[in-house]
Amino acid sequence: MLELLAALTKFFLYAGAFAGAGAAFASASLGRRANGGVAGNIPIIRGGALLAAIAGLAAVAILILQLGGEFMGPAMSAVLSSPTGTALALQLAGAVLLLLSAGAGGLLQIAGLIGGGALLASFAVNGHAAAASPAAGFVAFLHVCAAAWWLGALFLLRPACSALAGADLVALVRRFSRIALVVVGAMVAAGLALVLVLVNFSHGFTPYAQLLATKIALAALALGLAANNKLALTPQLGGEDRVARQALRRSIAFEIFLIAGVLATTAILTTYTSPHV
């Protein structure tokens, strides 16, 4: 039962961190059309940050229960002094910065970007990659930052399909596509590097490898859908073509659903399996 709760908590932690930090990154990089045309970016940033903070605290509480349940005893001290405690500190600090800076400009926006980076850095200091080596942890950080930007940008683009039209929407989608080529390419490269570092292929098709293959398949479907959006739907967005805008909006929603599947698979993978067995 505690393992199931741990997996669910990790999913909410991943979802909140990726959505909150990713929306902050995307809002800063996509420019005024994303910020002015989409009123929902502030709730996404704040909601994601709050969800990540609550889930981070819950994850630590569940781990303490798994170790014996003494919240004021050695178990709590051991957890807080471990990489898990460092990750929690980063999650809480990052969430606070995101909550305070959402929707702001100037120095506060920079503080929000730092907060998003701190929140995502928690996955680089605690987990399978961090246990492998500091270099693998850094690659994991790059991987999750890129994935978070992708998810955050989709959360901004979907309502933009209704709020914007014509040249404004086309310009926003094209800017997203240009940045995504670099960011998503880096995400894929970092992910492949992590697979080579973490997976011992001599062990055969282990439960870890099976879940990892599922994760990769879901990510590949999302990437295929993104490619179709760029090649088939984006050229139809000019003018007042509501059909193309609605089709893109539906496609983005399904893309977000697939990424949620990737995060859910990751939560199961990191809870129930290990790359070392």
Side-chain angles (χ1 to χ4, degrees), residues 172-198:
L172 176 60
V173 172
R174 285 178 176 170
R175 182 174 177 83
F176 163 78
S177 297
R178 288 194 299 271
I179 299 173
L181 282 175
V182 177
V183 174
V184 176
M187 180 193 75
V188 172
L192 291 175
L194 287 173
V195 169
L196 294 176
V197 169
L198 295 178

Side-chain angles (χ1 to χ4, degrees), residues 135-234:
F138 180 71
V139 173
F141 174 67
L142 296 179
H143 180 68
V144 297
C145 282
W149 179 90
W150 183 17
L151 179 60
L154 292 177
F155 273 124
L156 299 186
L157 283 177
R158 186 170 182 269
C161 294
S162 299
L164 302 177
D168 284 340
L169 180 58
V170 171
L172 176 60
V173 172
R174 285 178 176 170
R175 182 174 177 83
F176 163 78
S177 297
R178 288 194 299 271
I179 299 173
L181 282 175
V182 177
V183 174
V184 176
M187 180 193 75
V188 172
L192 291 175
L194 287 173
V195 169
L196 294 176
V197 169
L198 295 178
V199 179
N200 188 338
F201 295 97
S202 66
H203 289 170
F205 204 46
T206 62
Y208 183 90
Q210 293 170 28
L211 285 168
L212 183 60
T214 301
K215 175 182 174 179
I216 292 172
L218 289 171
L221 285 173
L223 287 171
L225 196 57
N228 180 71
N229 292 345
K230 176 177 173 59
L231 298 175
L233 294 181
T234 299

Side-chain angles (χ1 to χ4, degrees), residues 5-268:
L5 287 175
L8 286 171
T9 302
K10 283 184 180 180
F11 170 72
F12 288 124
L13 173 60
Y14 299 156
F18 277 49
F25 295 163
S27 181
S29 62
L30 292 178
R32 63 174 182 84
R33 291 184 180 88
N35 295 314
V38 182
N41 57 346
I42 295 176
I44 291 170
I45 294 171
R46 288 180 175 167
L50 185 60
L51 178 61
I54 294 172
L57 289 168
V60 168
I62 290 170
L63 179 57
I64 292 172
L65 288 173
Q66 289 175 319
L67 294 175
E70 297 180 10
F71 285 96
M72 299 304 294
M76 183 173 182
S77 178
V79 168
L80 294 181
S81 61
S82 72
T84 299
T86 303
L88 178 62
L90 287 168
Q91 289 157 10
L92 295 178
V96 168
L97 286 174
L98 284 173
L99 288 167
L100 293 176
S101 64
L107 292 177
L108 275 179
Q109 185 179 51
I110 294 173
L113 296 177
I114 293 172
L119 185 52
L120 296 175
S122 67
F123 304 123
V125 301
N126 185 40
H128 294 156
S133 70
F138 180 71
V139 173
F141 174 67
L142 296 179
H143 180 68
V144 297
C145 282
W149 179 90
W150 183 17
L151 179 60
L154 292 177
F155 273 124
L156 299 186
L157 283 177
R158 186 170 182 269
C161 294
S162 299
L164 302 177
D168 284 340
L169 180 58
V170 171
L172 176 60
V173 172
R174 285 178 176 170
R175 182 174 177 83
F176 163 78
S177 297
R178 288 194 299 271
I179 299 173
L181 282 175
V182 177
V183 174
V184 176
M187 180 193 75
V188 172
L192 291 175
L194 287 173
V195 169
L196 294 176
V197 169
L198 295 178
V199 179
N200 188 338
F201 295 97
S202 66
H203 289 170
F205 204 46
T206 62
Y208 183 90
Q210 293 170 28
L211 285 168
L212 183 60
T214 301
K215 175 182 174 179
I216 292 172
L218 289 171
L221 285 173
L223 287 171
L225 196 57
N228 180 71
N229 292 345
K230 176 177 173 59
L231 298 175
L233 294 181
T234 299
Q236 303 176 33
L237 292 177
E240 298 295 331
D241 189 346
R242 295 180 61 85
V243 174
R245 288 161 54 192
Q246 291 172 356
L248 181 59
R249 182 180 171 88
R250 288 194 299 269
S251 182
I252 289 173
F254 190 52
E255 208 173 326
I256 292 172
F257 175 77
L258 288 172
I259 294 174
V262 171
L263 298 180
T265 304
T266 303
I268 296 170

